[in-house]
Amino acid sequence: MKKKVTLLPGDGIGTEVMSAAVKLMHHVAEKYDLTIETTESLMGGCSYDAYGTPLTDETIQLCYESDAVLLGAVGGYKWENLAHHLKPEAALLKLRKSLGLYTNIRPAKVYPSFVNSSSLKESVILGTDFVVFRELTGGIYFGEPRGYDENKGFNTMVYEKYEIERIAHQAFKVAQKRKKVLTSVDKANVLEVSQFWRKVVEEVSKEYPDVKLNNMYVDNTAMQVVRDPRQFDVIVTSNLFGDIISDIAGMITGSLGMLPSASLGDKYALYEPVHGSAPDIAGQNKANPIAMIGSVAMMFDLSFGMKETADLIEKAIERTLDQGFRTVDINLDNGNVVSTDKMTEMIIKNFDIIYQENKESVFTL
Ligand code: IPM
Ligand code: MN
């Protein structure tokens, strides 16, 4: 099998975690006779520096021609004062829209060996394992009219029926395969757009009678996620609410450096860590590669149909954490602090061991 992957390392630690993840990706692919052909392109501040725009049409075209896109992180102090449309963040939004990536999946899972690294108590977070489905190409991020003048600033939060339906279906389908509970998050006590969201999600729920649908206000959800995160399994919500809830969810797991994500549309798929470009630690071989490696695992599962391989990568991450290896961002339990390269090397090493164990156990069955 042959697959084409476009690499967009971006800025700051994006380039470091990308090279770590790509190393692992090729290593894993080789074991399965999978050839992954990669093309690399600039996006974000580095693209602005080179071409005067954070995202070129050529880069978008490359993405259209590939089976999956891997993105590191974009942005940094250097580009903060640029006009809005030239900022690295604008590139990210444009890419999501151009590729039609309306479903953003952000899992929040607490690794058992890792409970001490969270700012929350072990008794609260142990066993937490939920996933946020965030709508990614609509809502207030893209609604018109928008703008500001001397006297006012304004944005529009709008959802078309089809936009709510398609992400609701995605979330219900995954809920069916998990614990059959879906929490839809809105602000229906105040916003009409949320009342409509709730109505459409309830209609869609009729097609999934085996899944229990709970509606929850976003402010309450923010509180519940830190009070009792185990109550959640699958969450579905709009673009802005999902942005906020997924950051809160990230801290439960200890660090945003742990969280992978997948953004899917009908034709294209993009995988990126939830964290940003962390310019303060860039270039120092300190960044945590786990979120990026986890994003590669999601690519194996969702774009290449290789769920077992993805599970082995997950297990390799877990075992490496069990062995006490920590990057600086997750060293609250005073583990063995290692560099990006060392962490990656250990995950690859553990992958090989787990792959072998797995092969042998299949053989003896
Ligand atoms: C995210 C980020 C982006 C977002 C920014 C950088 C535009 O916070 O991916 O969560 O708000 O979607
Ligand atoms: Mn965010």
Side-chain angles (χ1 to χ4, degrees), residues 227-264:
R227 192 188 72 84
D228 175 22
R230 278 182 301 246
Q231 71 182 284
F232 296 104
D233 190 52
V234 182
I235 290 177
V236 64
T237 191
S238 57
N239 206 341
L240 180 63
F241 298 160
D243 181 44
I244 298 164
I245 296 297
S246 62
D247 262 34
I248 302 175
M251 276 321 287
I252 295 177
T253 63
S255 162
L256 282 188
M258 302 289 296
L259 274 194
S261 85
S263 301
L264 312 173

Side-chain angles (χ1 to χ4, degrees), residues 154-263:
F154 52 95
N155 284 90
T156 304
M157 193 157 172
V158 55
Y159 268 110
E160 302 277 341
K161 190 172 182 194
Y162 78 94
E163 292 178 298
I164 304 168
E165 282 173 345
R166 63 187 181 182
I167 187 155
H169 280 293
Q170 300 286 351
F172 272 111
K173 284 195 182 112
V174 169
Q176 267 182 330
K177 289 196 211 133
R178 293 177 53 118
K179 293 188 187 146
K180 302 188 194 311
V181 187
L182 176 66
T183 307
S184 174
V185 173
D186 61 40
K187 188 69 186 171
N189 50 347
V190 178
L191 306 174
E192 282 80 359
V193 60
S194 279
Q195 289 155 16
F196 183 65
W197 174 282
R198 193 175 275 214
K199 190 168 129 336
V200 175
V201 173
E202 276 168 359
E203 271 163 30
V204 172
S205 81
K206 290 182 191 141
E207 293 178 45
Y208 303 89
D210 53 332
V211 177
K212 177 160 176 17
L213 171 67
N214 294 321
N215 292 301
M216 199 179 270
Y217 297 138
V218 63
D219 48 350
N220 185 27
T221 309
M223 182 181 82
Q224 295 296 340
V225 164
V226 289
R227 192 188 72 84
D228 175 22
R230 278 182 301 246
Q231 71 182 284
F232 296 104
D233 190 52
V234 182
I235 290 177
V236 64
T237 191
S238 57
N239 206 341
L240 180 63
F241 298 160
D243 181 44
I244 298 164
I245 296 297
S246 62
D247 262 34
I248 302 175
M251 276 321 287
I252 295 177
T253 63
S255 162
L256 282 188
M258 302 289 296
L259 274 194
S261 85
S263 301

Side-chain angles (χ1 to χ4, degrees), residues 89 92-93 96 106 134 141 243:
E89 290 81 355
L92 195 56
L93 298 178
R96 289 173 181 169
R106 297 185 168 182
R134 167 188 175 194
Y141 272 57
D243 181 44

